[in-house]
Amino acid sequence: MNNKETPMTTTPPSAFVPPFLLQQRAAARPADPLVSCILPAYNESENIVPMLQTLHGLLTEAGFRHELIVVDDGSRDNTVEQVMSQIDHLPVTLIQLSRNFGKELALTAGIDHAHGDVAVLIDSDFQHPPAMVPEFLRQWRAGYDMVYSVRSSRDTETLGKRLFTRVFYTLLNSGARHKIPENTQDFRVMDRCVLDALRQMPERNRFMKGLYNWVGFTQLPVETHTEERRAGKSSFNFFSLLNLGLTGLTAFSNVPLRMWTLIGSAISLASILYASWELLHTLLFGNDQPGWPTLAVAVSFLGGVQLLSIGILGEYIGRIFSEVKQRPIYLISRVSRSTQDQQ
C-alpha cells in the first residue's frame, strides 16, 4: 500500500461548464458503477504489484466495484509473472501485447477492453499519485465526463526538456481551434461516453493527449504533483519524447507545413530584392567581382532549405502511408482474467 499523504492539489481555471449540464450528467451516473483501472506496463516488475494492491485498497475503501486492467507492452522482465501472482487474489485482467507497441497503443488496448462505467488511466510506477483516484471519481460523480491531471510543476525536469515541451505546445496550438492544454498527463478518469468516442477513432499514429482533448465532453483539469518513480528506471528517453512530439504535430497540426510555406515565401522575396539590388548596383557602378562565393552560398542555402522542407513533407506522407496500410493498431498474444468477481 502507498502510505504517503494525499498530494495537495488545486483546480486551475478551465472552460466554464453550465451547472445545469453538470446536474444532468450527475443524475445519469449509475448508483453502483464499475470502475476500470487501466495500467500500461513496460518492465514494471518492481512497481506493478504494489500499485495493484494500492488501487484495490483505495477503491474497496471507497466502495467501488472495480477491475484492474494491466496492459503488458512487451516487457522483458518478470512483469507478467508478477501480475499473474495476483490474478487469484485481485480482480485483475492481464492483456499481453505481442511486442512493444508503445504507451499510446497500450492505453488504446486498455480502453478497448474496459467494461466499466468509468475508467481510470494511471501509470504503474507511482508517478501518478493513486491517492487522487477517489477525488477524481468524486468529480466524475459531480457530472464531469473527464477529469484529468495537469502537472503542477516541471522543476524536476532538465532545462532542455522544459524548453522542448514549451516549443512543442506552442507549435501544436498555433492556429488550432481546439487547443491542447499544456502539461496535461495521461492520468485521468473518463466516463463510458468518452471511452466509446475514443474507440471510434481508428488512426494508427495516435497522440492520446490530442484525442482526449478532441472528443470534448465536460472536462475538469486538476493540478497534481508528480512523484518520483517508486522503483526501476524509465524507458522513456529524449528520442521517445521527440518521436511522440512528431506524432502529435503531424496528427493534430499543419503548422510545420505552413511554416515552410512562409519561409519559402520569405526566401523568394529576399532573392527578388537581392537581385534587384545587384541589378541596380551593376548599372550604376559596374561589377568587377566574379560572384562565385555569393552563388555558392545561395545554392547551398536554398538546397538545404529544400531538403529540410522535403523531409517535413515526408513525415506527413510517411504517416499517411502508415494509415492507408490499415494494419491492426496492436496485436494481443494472450488475455488472462481473474477468477474473482469484479469487486
Side-chain angles (χ1 to χ4, degrees):
M1 296 287 291
N2 184 6
N3 296 321
K4 292 185 177 181
E5 295 182 357
T6 303
M8 296 297 294
T9 62
T10 58
T11 303
S14 60
F16 175 73
V17 179
F20 175 78
L21 187 58
L22 288 179
Q23 294 171 6
Q24 186 183 45
R25 295 282 202 277
R29 300 293 187 242
D32 185 24
L34 173 64
V35 178
S36 298
C37 290
I38 301 171
L39 299 93
Y42 178 69
N43 294 341
E44 296 289 357
S45 61
E46 297 178 81
N47 295 314
I48 191 64
V49 171
M51 175 58 81
L52 290 174
Q53 293 173 344
T54 299
L55 289 172
H56 176 66
L58 288 169
L59 292 170
T60 299
E61 183 179 353
F64 287 105
R65 294 185 302 122
H66 57 278
E67 60 176 354
L68 305 173
I69 302 174
V70 179
V71 184
D72 179 68
D73 192 22
S75 295
R76 298 182 179 181
D77 61 1
N78 62 339
T79 297
V80 171
E81 181 182 351
Q82 292 294 318
V83 176
M84 291 299 294
S85 71
Q86 301 297 310
I87 206 162
D88 293 329
H89 308 288
L90 302 175
V92 176
T93 297
L94 173 62
I95 300 172
Q96 296 174 247
L97 301 186
S98 62
R99 62 171 176 83
N100 179 250
F101 284 88
K103 184 181 178 182
E104 307 295 293
L105 298 187
L107 288 170
T108 301
I111 290 171
D112 289 345
H113 289 79
H115 298 97
D117 302 294
V118 58
V120 178
L121 274 59
I122 186 170
D123 285 354
S124 305
D125 55 10
F126 286 93
Q127 286 191 301
H128 298 159
M132 289 304 302
V133 170
E135 171 62 18
F136 279 20
L137 290 171
R138 186 183 71 80
Q139 296 291 352
W140 167 76
R141 280 193 180 278
Y144 290 99
D145 295 320
M146 188 186 308
V147 183
Y148 62 90
S149 170
V150 179
R151 294 181 69 113
S152 59
S153 173
R154 287 187 174 271
D155 292 342
T156 59
E157 295 183 345
T158 63
L159 177 61
K161 187 174 181 181
R162 293 201 300 269
L163 290 175
F164 179 89
T165 303
R166 177 60 60 86
V167 171
F168 167 72
Y169 278 104
T170 299
L171 290 175
L172 188 63
N173 289 322
S174 296
R177 183 178 179 183
H178 302 286
K179 298 185 184 299
I180 299 175
E182 191 171 344
N183 298 327
T184 59
Q185 297 180 303
D186 291 313
F187 182 31
R188 61 190 63 218
V189 162
M190 299 187 295
D191 186 75
R192 167 51 59 182
C193 63
V194 181
L195 298 177
D196 291 340
L198 290 171
R199 292 178 65 179
Q200 296 179 44
M201 298 182 182
E203 56 251 53
R204 273 70 183 159
N205 298 291
R206 301 179 77 82
F207 179 60
M208 296 304 294
K209 293 182 181 67
L211 296 179
Y212 301 144
N213 184 69
W214 188 88
V215 296
F217 300 100
T218 56
Q219 301 188 13
L220 176 69
V222 177
E223 285 191 358
T224 307
H225 177 67
T226 300
E227 303 286 349
E228 296 294 330
R229 286 179 59 90
R230 174 71 64 88
K233 184 179 179 181
S234 175
S235 60
F236 194 80
N237 52 34
F238 176 77
F239 293 104
S240 302
L241 180 65
L242 181 61
N243 183 61
L244 181 62
L246 287 174
T247 298
L249 283 176
T250 54
F252 283 90
S253 176
N254 291 325
V255 168
L257 294 176
R258 292 172 181 170
M259 277 179 56
W260 286 104
T261 300
L262 294 174
I263 291 173
S265 300
I267 291 174
S268 297
L269 178 61
S271 64
I272 292 173
L273 293 175
Y274 180 71
S276 301
W277 184 85
E278 282 289 342
L279 177 62
L280 181 63
H281 185 273
T282 301
L283 291 175
L284 294 176
F285 306 104
N287 185 5
D288 56 355
Q289 297 180 358
W292 288 110
T294 303
L295 180 61
V297 170
V299 170
S300 300
F301 176 69
L302 291 176
V305 169
Q306 288 174 339
L307 290 175
L308 187 57
S309 59
I310 290 172
I312 292 175
L313 187 62
E315 281 288 333
Y316 282 88
I317 295 174
R319 295 180 192 279
I320 293 172
F321 179 59
S322 176
E323 294 290 340
V324 299
K325 286 188 289 189
Q326 294 291 299
R327 289 178 181 171
I329 297 177
Y330 56 83
L331 295 173
I332 295 175
S333 63
R334 184 180 178 87
V335 177
S336 305
R337 302 183 186 279
S338 173
T339 56
Q340 286 196 351
D341 294 331
Q342 292 157 345
Q343 300 184 18

